[in-house]
Amino acid sequence: LDMATSDIRIQPDWYLCNPGESFWINLTPPPVGSLQTIYAKATVSGTGSSLHVTPDEITAKYVDVGGQRRLQVSALGQTWTIIAPGYIDNTKKGKKMEYIDVTDSATLLVRTYDNGECTVWSTLDEAAPGKLRKYRGWRDLDKGHVGDIYFAKFFPSGKVVLSGGADTTLRIWDVMDDEFDGTPVTMLKGHQQAVFEADFVERGRNIVSCSRDGTAKLFDVPTQAVIASFAPDAGPILSVRVGTHSGTPSTASPDPRESGTDGKVVALAADNGGAYLFDIRSRNQVGHLKNSSAADPACSMNRLCFVGAHLAAGDSVGRIGLWDMRNLSLPTAQIQRNTSPITSLTPYGSSQFVVSQGDGACYVWDLTSGKSISELCGTDYDPIYSVGAAPAVKQIFTAGRDGVMR
């Protein structure tokens, strides 16, 4: 099912407009690349409670959800709910924020920058409720990474951070240690080039990382050993995710250092445009997925995420293929709003995921309804590189080129 949808963009500060002021709404209907964009202007009424929109092809109104004002826009038989940032941290504005992750309770977050800085923050500040305070930070190159840190994410426990970067290593940090001095508790080596991303097998005894060197490595954290290597011969591996394999369980005997790998599959997004699936226990390739056809331009597969029984695979020309893990012969759907690269795919519960793109678009896609249920605004066409999500407390954090966390 080809799900080419309208591309909607809203003036980033629409929620700050006073009575009598206006903001813009741009809507481009499918097909992708259409030149029929509708340019609309919404003017806030004198009372500040309603909107007048021209042209009348688009309608818009304010809606209240849990005490927060949101914008509801309707046109061409579709309706979008626009959510403004509930909090903005611009203390690092101008520094490229590469990655962001949050704990399940959203009480701690970690973010990295292109200058090698990586900091852990608490969202709880007794002196200023609702504000962020710096909790832990490190940048000492004698103790931390040398060069860019491409990702930093919490172990499932929410107490330990895993990071990887241009220096080919992964490092583990016990950020809850009262005597933490910025020194990693251990370092994992095995890649020959930059490490782009990693994911956990269950609680994190084993992790799988991916690299510019074209491989993914299965590590045993306690011994820092590489247990296995996956090499699909597809160029740099840009993203990795661990999920559940719905095929025939592997009969291979596990390495004694493996924990929880039975029935697990690792999905790798490759620079050649493919997504490669390997059964972790047997090391066998069990799938090769591709959004594009022979007639499509060359592109890379950028990001992956498992959502329920599906794998979402986003590429560099704005397409997201949805693949049912029970039948990998064809994608169940392909989503595309424009040709801007997919920069992150983040699970948000069992049937939703958050999408960010290189043009600053960010939205929550619902598998059940097959549509965007929330549009997250704030950037003015600046790329969003990473999204951290805590669905249990209904919070989403974004990081991007402008260095502003929302």
Side-chain angles (χ1 to χ4, degrees), residues 212-298:
R212 188 189 299 275
D213 65 15
T215 70
K217 307 287 187 185
L218 175 67
F219 283 93
D220 174 48
V221 172
T223 64
Q224 300 91 53
V226 176
I227 302 174
S229 183
F230 305 94
D233 191 21
I237 306 299
L238 307 179
S239 182
V240 58
R241 286 293 181 267
V242 174
T244 301
H245 182 30
S246 59
T248 303
S250 172
T251 57
S253 299
D255 185 292
R257 297 167 294 180
E258 291 182 46
S259 176
T261 57
D262 189 30
K264 294 295 192 299
V265 63
V266 59
L268 310 176
D271 189 57
N272 73 350
Y276 297 83
L277 279 67
F278 290 85
D279 179 89
I280 297 180
R281 178 66 61 84
S282 69
R283 324 296 193 225
N284 294 329
Q285 183 174 323
V286 294
H288 175 206
L289 316 178
K290 200 172 181 67
N291 291 344
S292 60
S293 67
D296 288 324

